[in-house]
Amino acid sequence: QDRHAAVIDALNGFYGKRQVRIREFLAGGPRTAYQVTQALFPRTRPGDLFLTISETIANLEVMAKRGEVLRDAEETFGFRLAA
Protein backbone atom coordinates (compact mmCIF):
# COMPACT_ATOMS: atom_id res chain seq x y z
CA GLN A 1 0.00 0.00 0.00
CA ASP A 2 2.89 2.39 0.65
CA ARG A 3 3.93 2.03 -2.97
CA HIS A 4 0.49 3.07 -4.17
CA ALA A 5 0.55 6.10 -1.93
CA ALA A 6 3.95 7.10 -3.32
CA VAL A 7 2.68 6.83 -6.89
CA ILE A 8 -0.40 8.88 -6.06
CA ASP A 9 1.72 11.51 -4.30
CA ALA A 10 4.04 11.71 -7.32
CA LEU A 11 1.11 12.14 -9.70
CA ASN A 12 -0.48 14.79 -7.50
CA GLY A 13 2.83 16.65 -7.43
CA PHE A 14 3.25 16.39 -11.21
CA TYR A 15 -0.25 17.65 -11.95
CA GLY A 16 0.04 20.30 -9.25
CA LYS A 17 3.04 21.77 -11.08
CA ARG A 18 1.18 21.57 -14.38
CA GLN A 19 -1.77 23.41 -12.85
CA VAL A 20 0.55 26.15 -11.58
CA ARG A 21 1.63 26.66 -15.20
CA ILE A 22 -2.01 26.79 -16.28
CA ARG A 23 -2.80 29.44 -13.63
CA GLU A 24 0.22 31.49 -14.76
CA PHE A 25 -0.93 31.33 -18.37
CA LEU A 26 -4.53 32.23 -17.50
CA ALA A 27 -3.27 35.20 -15.47
CA GLY A 28 -2.79 36.87 -18.86
CA GLY A 29 -6.53 36.68 -19.52
CA PRO A 30 -9.16 34.21 -20.67
CA ARG A 31 -7.91 31.47 -22.99
CA THR A 32 -9.39 28.55 -24.85
CA ALA A 33 -8.41 25.03 -23.86
CA TYR A 34 -6.54 24.82 -27.18
CA GLN A 35 -4.50 27.94 -26.35
CA VAL A 36 -3.66 26.50 -22.94
CA THR A 37 -2.63 23.24 -24.66
CA GLN A 38 -0.32 25.13 -27.01
CA ALA A 39 1.32 26.85 -24.02
CA LEU A 40 1.79 23.59 -22.11
CA PHE A 41 2.86 21.46 -25.07
CA PRO A 42 4.45 23.78 -27.66
CA ARG A 43 6.07 20.95 -29.63
CA THR A 44 3.12 18.58 -29.83
CA ARG A 45 3.13 16.35 -32.88
CA PRO A 46 -0.17 16.32 -34.81
CA GLY A 47 -0.79 12.69 -33.86
CA ASP A 48 -0.53 13.56 -30.15
CA LEU A 49 -2.87 16.56 -30.24
CA PHE A 50 -5.89 14.60 -28.99
CA LEU A 51 -3.92 13.39 -25.96
CA THR A 52 -2.53 16.80 -25.06
CA ILE A 53 -5.89 18.56 -25.43
CA SER A 54 -7.56 15.83 -23.35
CA GLU A 55 -5.00 16.23 -20.58
CA THR A 56 -5.36 20.01 -20.64
CA ILE A 57 -9.16 19.88 -20.46
CA ALA A 58 -8.99 17.35 -17.63
CA ASN A 59 -6.74 19.68 -15.63
CA LEU A 60 -8.99 22.65 -16.36
CA GLU A 61 -12.07 20.68 -15.28
CA VAL A 62 -10.40 19.68 -11.99
CA MET A 63 -9.38 23.28 -11.41
CA ALA A 64 -12.92 24.48 -12.22
CA LYS A 65 -14.42 21.98 -9.77
CA ARG A 66 -12.10 23.41 -7.07
CA GLY A 67 -13.18 26.96 -7.99
CA GLU A 68 -9.73 27.99 -9.25
CA VAL A 69 -10.84 28.68 -12.83
CA LEU A 70 -14.16 29.51 -14.42
CA ARG A 71 -15.52 28.69 -17.84
CA ASP A 72 -15.57 31.74 -20.10
CA ALA A 73 -19.11 32.24 -21.38
CA GLU A 74 -17.76 33.75 -24.61
CA GLU A 75 -15.92 30.57 -25.69
CA THR A 76 -17.10 26.96 -25.84
CA PHE A 77 -13.92 25.69 -24.18
CA GLY A 78 -12.77 28.99 -22.76
CA PHE A 79 -11.46 29.35 -19.22
CA ARG A 80 -10.30 32.18 -16.99
CA LEU A 81 -8.94 32.48 -13.47
CA ALA A 82 -11.49 32.74 -10.73
CA ALA A 83 -11.52 36.08 -8.90
Side-chain angles (χ1 to χ4, degrees):
Q1 190 173 23
D2 291 333
R3 222 170 122 178
H4 292 97
V7 170
I8 292 168
D9 288 345
L11 284 171
N12 283 333
F14 174 81
Y15 286 110
K17 289 176 187 174
R18 171 114 344 127
Q19 290 167 9
V20 166
R21 291 179 59 206
I22 291 171
R23 279 191 291 281
E24 290 171 352
F25 186 62
L26 291 176
R31 305 281 195 244
T32 65
Y34 181 70
Q35 290 170 320
V36 176
T37 300
Q38 288 178 309
L40 291 175
F41 305 100
R43 293 182 284 281
T44 299
R45 296 176 300 189
D48 294 334
L49 189 57
F50 177 78
L51 296 173
T52 57
I53 288 175
S54 296
E55 181 176 326
T56 301
I57 291 172
N59 276 289
L60 288 164
E61 293 289 342
V62 166
M63 293 170 75
K65 187 156 181 91
R66 290 192 304 232
E68 298 171 13
V69 301
L70 301 170
R71 283 191 174 273
D72 185 353
E74 301 296 317
E75 294 284 344
T76 302
F77 278 102
F79 292 86
R80 60 186 171 83
L81 283 178

